[in-house]
Amino acid sequence: MELNDKLEILADAAKYDASCASSGAPKRSSEGKDGLGATNGMGICHSYTPDGRCVSLLKILLTNFCVYDCQYCVNRRTSNVPRARFTVQEVVKLTVDFYLRNYIDGLFLSSGIIQSADYTMEQLVAVARELREVHQFRGYIHLKTIPDADPALIEAAGRYADRLSVNIELPTQDSVQRLAPEKNVHTIKLAMGNIRLKLDEKENEPKAPKFAPAGQSTQMIVGADASDDARILTTAETLYGSYKLKRVYYSAFSPIPESPKSVPLAPPPLLREHRLYQADFLLRSYGFQAKELLPDSGNLPLDIDPKLAWALTHREHFPMDLNRAEPQMIARIPGIGIRNAQRIVELRRMRQVRWADLARLRCSMKKVAPFIVTADYRPAQDTTPSDTLRKAMADVPQQMALFPELQAA
């Protein structure tokens, strides 16, 4: 098979893996040195950096042949899809050639399981080793690790890769046993635990060998089983606390032709995936707990974001006086983020915070209005029912026009 044909198949097969950002990678550059490539610590995988640059990586599978038959996976053993396999040298050549053409800033490499977990992991490590040692590649490398592989192979992967990831796939052990019988949740968590131990060793002993400086991540599929958002967020919260994950990624289940009857025939709303990412950010950065966002079983509301939903449920905290409130509580106000909360605290050390100050900080004035008190502002109707506020603030879907100029005329 021609290399371009392999690339078409294996790049398309990799699109279902969402866990491919490069945040946390150390800054490296080949400028003035031997080798090629660079990392800048910003997001990668077709993301936009704060200064507006779009950065990307080569995201491919080593192969989509697989001995596993995970029911939710397009590359499962019984799936009727075109198959291909790269050699180690072909992946290295593609990475180097694409970098020299300024197409990519790094590599995200995963694979189906071929022959055995150890053999597959050896192939992944061989790619990273050749890029680093032979071609002096200084760009970003993210390797998907195989949980059943020998820990020594995963340790070797950490020496060459910036980030490692072990996908837990589904939020409950029952779902994994039912939909991915060849996988074992205990083995997956054991691999995560071993990676964490290596990361802690490096953190506590600076002279220890380099190991995955951008940490580890995982991915959960949303909508492939009956797990609700409460269960998904509780699992994510446990993973963050137990394994010091940098990120948990969420991927909406995508049915394919001839899907088995054990998985849904229709995908979940993409907005559900978006709300989970918003809730995940609240867990990681705002100090929320999963039980605060969803105290009972169920899914996050789709019409409003999770922070607004929490505020509408906890009206006893509002309206909140910005000149007196604790910084962490200010950050929980809808329309005010962490950075603006810090700016408000700094401002009130010099003088009282006023309504116009929030406009200058570019806070979302429509959202903050019912929830704050400033030196010159108090909501006219701070007892407005939450249902009324929710209707006023809900995200209303709008149909985009094909020819807006003609409609305007």
Side-chain angles (χ1 to χ4, degrees):
M1 185 181 291
E2 294 293 330
L3 189 58
N4 284 345
D5 296 330
K6 291 183 182 182
L7 180 60
E8 182 178 357
I9 292 172
L10 295 174
D12 183 70
K15 69 184 179 183
Y16 298 98
D17 203 316
S19 54
C20 59
S22 70
S23 302
K27 293 185 179 181
R28 289 190 299 263
S29 176
S30 58
E31 186 176 356
K33 304 175 183 177
D34 292 334
L36 68 157
T39 60
N40 56 15
M42 304 294 184
I44 263 182
C45 190
H46 301 290
S47 298
Y48 286 89
T49 61
D51 60 2
R53 293 178 299 109
C54 179
V55 289
S56 59
L57 69 149
L58 177 60
K59 181 182 176 185
I60 54 175
L61 300 184
L62 184 68
T63 179
N64 65 342
F65 286 100
C66 192
V67 299
Y68 290 176
D69 199 32
C70 304
Q71 301 296 287
Y72 49 80
C73 182
V74 66
N75 301 312
R76 67 184 184 277
R77 183 178 64 244
T78 55
S79 179
N80 185 23
V81 295
R83 305 283 183 172
R85 177 181 173 183
F86 284 127
T87 65
V88 169
Q89 290 70 32
E90 285 173 335
V91 176
V92 170
K93 173 178 170 55
L94 282 170
T95 305
V96 172
D97 287 352
F98 277 31
Y99 175 77
L100 291 176
R101 295 176 185 178
N102 203 30
Y103 291 168
I104 62 168
D105 298 278
L107 170 69
F108 174 88
L109 184 62
S110 183
S111 182
I113 311 298
I114 46 175
Q115 295 190 24
S116 69
D118 283 350
Y119 177 80
T120 305
M121 197 70 228
E122 287 172 356
Q123 298 292 294
L124 296 173
V125 172
V127 171
R129 181 190 298 116
E130 185 165 338
L131 282 171
R132 295 294 195 213
E133 295 184 351
V134 177
H135 296 275
Q136 298 296 303
F137 183 71
R138 301 178 188 276
Y140 174 78
I141 297 179
H142 182 149
L143 290 183
K144 185 58 59 64
T145 56
I146 313 300
D148 293 314
D150 189 314
L153 289 170
I154 297 178
E155 182 178 352
R159 289 199 295 270
Y160 300 109
D162 294 285
R163 175 169 287 182
L164 301 177
S165 56
V166 184
N167 281 358
I168 196 166
E169 305 290 14
L170 298 166
T172 68
Q173 183 169 345
D174 289 344
S175 292
V176 173
Q177 289 176 344
R178 182 171 59 88
L179 299 179
E182 294 96 345
K183 294 186 176 181
N184 185 296
V185 172
H186 174 72
T187 304
I188 294 171
K189 291 184 176 180
L190 186 62
M192 288 181 176
N194 288 335
I195 292 174
R196 177 185 174 163
L197 289 176
K198 287 296 178 182
L199 292 170
D200 288 344
E201 178 184 330
K202 178 60 180 175
E203 183 179 349
N204 297 328
E205 180 50 65
K207 293 184 180 180
K210 169 196 165 184
F211 187 85
Q216 67 170 321
S217 61
T218 192
Q219 172 176 287
M220 277 191 282
I221 300 171
V222 179
D225 65 346
S227 297
D228 59 18
D229 293 349
R231 168 58 64 184
I232 292 172
L233 290 175
T234 299
T235 300
E237 186 175 55
T238 301
L239 293 174
Y240 279 126
S242 300
Y243 305 106
K244 295 176 69 173
L245 298 185
K246 291 291 186 180
R247 289 290 304 275
V248 174
Y249 291 89
Y250 306 93
S251 178
F253 173 66
S254 179
I256 60 171
E258 302 178 13
S259 289
K261 295 181 180 179
S262 55
V263 295
L265 296 177
L270 283 177
L271 190 55
R272 182 183 174 193
E273 177 188 298
H274 177 61
R275 296 302 188 207
L276 281 167
Y277 273 115
Q278 290 178 319
D280 184 273
F281 188 56
L282 296 180
L283 297 180
R284 290 185 291 114
S285 302
Y286 283 76
F288 280 89
Q289 295 180 339
K291 63 182 180 182
E292 291 183 273
L293 299 175
L294 282 170
D296 303 310
S297 60
N299 291 337
L300 296 163
L302 299 182
D303 59 329
I304 55 175
D305 67 78
K307 189 160 79 163
L308 177 57
W310 176 84
L312 291 175
T313 307
H314 295 82
R315 296 293 297 280
E316 68 274 12
H317 297 298
F318 305 102
M320 192 180 298
D321 190 342
L322 295 183
N323 289 294
R324 297 174 180 269
E326 294 293 326
Q328 62 268 28
M329 290 302 296
I330 295 177
R332 290 190 171 208
I333 299 173
I336 297 179
I338 294 176
R339 187 173 299 177
N340 274 340
Q342 294 171 343
R343 290 168 175 164
I344 288 169
V345 172
E346 292 170 0
L347 176 62
R348 73 186 188 186
R349 289 172 183 162
M350 298 179 287
R351 60 175 176 80
Q352 288 194 318
V353 178
R354 305 178 72 84
W355 175 261
D357 296 324
L358 302 181
R360 281 192 288 270
L361 290 175
R362 296 186 178 180
C363 295
S364 177
M365 305 305 287
K366 178 182 177 181
K367 277 190 176 181
V368 302
F371 300 104
I372 62 164
V373 172
T374 65
D376 60 344
Y377 171 80
R378 174 178 285 273
Q381 296 178 331
D382 56 13
T383 57
T384 302
S386 292
D387 288 344
T388 303
L389 287 177
R390 178 171 180 161
K391 291 177 182 178
M393 296 184 172
D395 296 331
V396 180
Q398 294 183 348
Q399 176 65 47
M400 297 184 68
L402 286 175
F403 304 104
E405 295 84 0
L406 295 179
Q407 290 187 355

